[in-house]
């Protein structure tokens, strides 16, 4: 199916999809989940509003189509989880800091955290994405006792680093050398993955 | 000075101030920093807009008047920082989880993090508040090498716990017994305060 956009340009399926996703990505980031509407996305994309529903069904589905992890878990997790289990903390700390130090990685992580912090619907969708794509595979790869709890503790420190260093920019953490931050975090992540968690 | 509110009620200084702060608190929480205006706050408070400027000067000052820590640092920090330095991690973990488990404490912390995550101006104001009221006194109380960096690492795990357990509600961390969470976090905070941070 080819459609005529409001602008009179004739665009194919892929062009239409891309225009919708670009507009949706911009509006979700700028306005948040609640204030973004399918109609305004269609307007910015220059397509008929019915097409947004046609391609994406609902606002929730549209949001899910544009929130993205800054990497492909299938490419990254096997390597992180394989190798010496006693070095998984430093491997993950290096990976996380590497992602957050890159412009594109940081902007996607910050976008996810902003969406999750501002609105319950978005928080639920981000939580489901992270649980399904990251925490569950990590927990199953660990195979440890309490693996899902361990994965969620790891998430708490990773999210906290992103907020404190890159969003709120608490000093001196914000301007500290990345290698120092990796060194400081690695033992925390290692203990959450394989160490004694106390309690019970 | 007594003023006549738009509603015709005659209210004294303290009533006017309180009405402005209540409206401001609600609007900053509901709309975020950018979308809150002095004029709308005045409208909701039922007072003349000039009075909001009269009492608070600017939107930044108004925001600072309503963002609050969920406790008084002067009451809390001396006790946390005194006592066995090797137990400071568990003392802080207990205190933080206690605050976050209380309805009022959680809602204030979540409000601060939401404001800080959503808008740069609010992030800067929250950062300054936290640095001045919490991190600097803690660092000076520690007196350790690199005390300010240590305090900011502690902040990263505390903020991460608040986001992961109470805002995004990542499972099973979100429903875990508070005592387990204290046990899991205490060694992390202890190492950030007094342990080996690696690097350099």
């Amino acid at each position: 199916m080819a459609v005529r956009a409001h602008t009179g340009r004739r665009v194919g399926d892929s062009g239409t999809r891309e225009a919708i996703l670009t507009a949706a990505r911009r509006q979700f980031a700028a306005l948040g989940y609640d204030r973004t509407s399918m109609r305004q996305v269609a307007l910015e994309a220059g397509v008929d509003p019915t097409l947004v529903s046609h391609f994406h069904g609902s606002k929730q589905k549209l949001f899910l189509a544009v929130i993205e992890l800054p990497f492909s878990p299938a490419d990254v997790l096997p390597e992180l989880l394989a190798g010496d289990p006693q070095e998984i903390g430093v491997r993950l700390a290096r990976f996380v800091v590497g992602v957050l130090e890159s412009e594109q990685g940081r902007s996607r992580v910050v976008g996810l955290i902003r969406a999750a912090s501002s609105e319950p619907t978005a928080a639920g969708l981000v939580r489901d994405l992270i649980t399904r794509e990251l925490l569950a595979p990590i927990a199953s790869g660990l195979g440890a006792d309490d693996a899902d709890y361990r994965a969620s503790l790891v998430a708490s420190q990773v999210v906290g680093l992103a907020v404190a260093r890159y969003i709120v920019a608490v000093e001196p953490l914000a301007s500290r050398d990345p290698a120092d931050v990796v060194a400081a975090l690695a033992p925390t992540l290692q203990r959450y993955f394989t160490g004694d968690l106390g309690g019970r």
Side-chain angles (χ1 to χ4, degrees), chain A:
Chain A
M1 175 176 85
V3 297
R4 194 168 291 280
H6 277 174
T7 53
R9 282 179 293 123
R10 190 176 171 79
V11 289
D13 259 23
S14 70
T16 304
R17 272 178 192 280
E18 209 33 70
I20 291 170
L21 292 176
T22 302
R25 204 171 278 122
R26 199 199 63 76
Q27 291 195 24
F28 280 124
L31 305 175
Y33 183 85
D34 279 357
R35 284 192 293 154
T36 296
S37 74
M38 305 277 271
R39 172 165 289 279
Q40 284 300 318
V41 167
L43 200 68
E44 179 172 335
V47 304
D48 194 87
T50 58
L51 278 176
V52 179
S53 309
H54 171 74
F55 282 124
H56 296 286
S58 67
K59 188 161 93 168
Q60 283 206 13
K61 286 186 182 148
L62 182 60
F63 182 70
L64 282 171
V66 301
I67 57 171
E68 291 172 299
L69 296 172
F71 53 85
S72 155
D75 293 342
V76 167
L77 295 183
E79 207 171 326
L80 279 172
L81 292 166
D84 186 354
Q86 293 310 316
E87 300 274 320
I88 189 174
V90 70
R91 282 199 299 277
L92 183 64
R94 268 194 209 117
F95 175 72
V96 163
V97 170
V99 166
L100 288 167
E101 288 294 314
S102 84
E103 186 75 28
Q104 199 213 16
R106 181 168 54 243
S107 82
R108 287 205 191 163
V109 173
V110 168
L112 284 174
I113 293 175
R114 286 213 166 117
S117 298
S118 58
E119 284 135 336
T121 312
L125 297 170
V126 170
R127 178 180 61 238
D128 294 347
L129 175 79
I130 288 174
T131 303
R132 191 179 62 241
E133 302 286 328
L134 293 178
L135 302 186
I138 288 173
S140 117
L142 275 181
D145 192 34
D146 240 0
D148 52 352
Y149 178 48
R150 291 176 180 278
S152 64
L153 284 169
V154 166
S156 79
Q157 176 60 88
V158 168
V159 166
L161 176 73
V163 173
R165 178 168 157 104
Y166 301 94
I167 298 183
V168 181
V170 172
E171 290 294 358
L173 179 59
S175 48
R176 198 74 170 210
D177 191 84
D180 284 350
V181 178
V182 168
L185 255 61
T188 298
L189 303 182
Q190 185 67 45
R191 189 172 59 82
Y192 291 159
F193 273 129
T194 62
D196 182 6
L197 298 182
R200 295 278 159 106

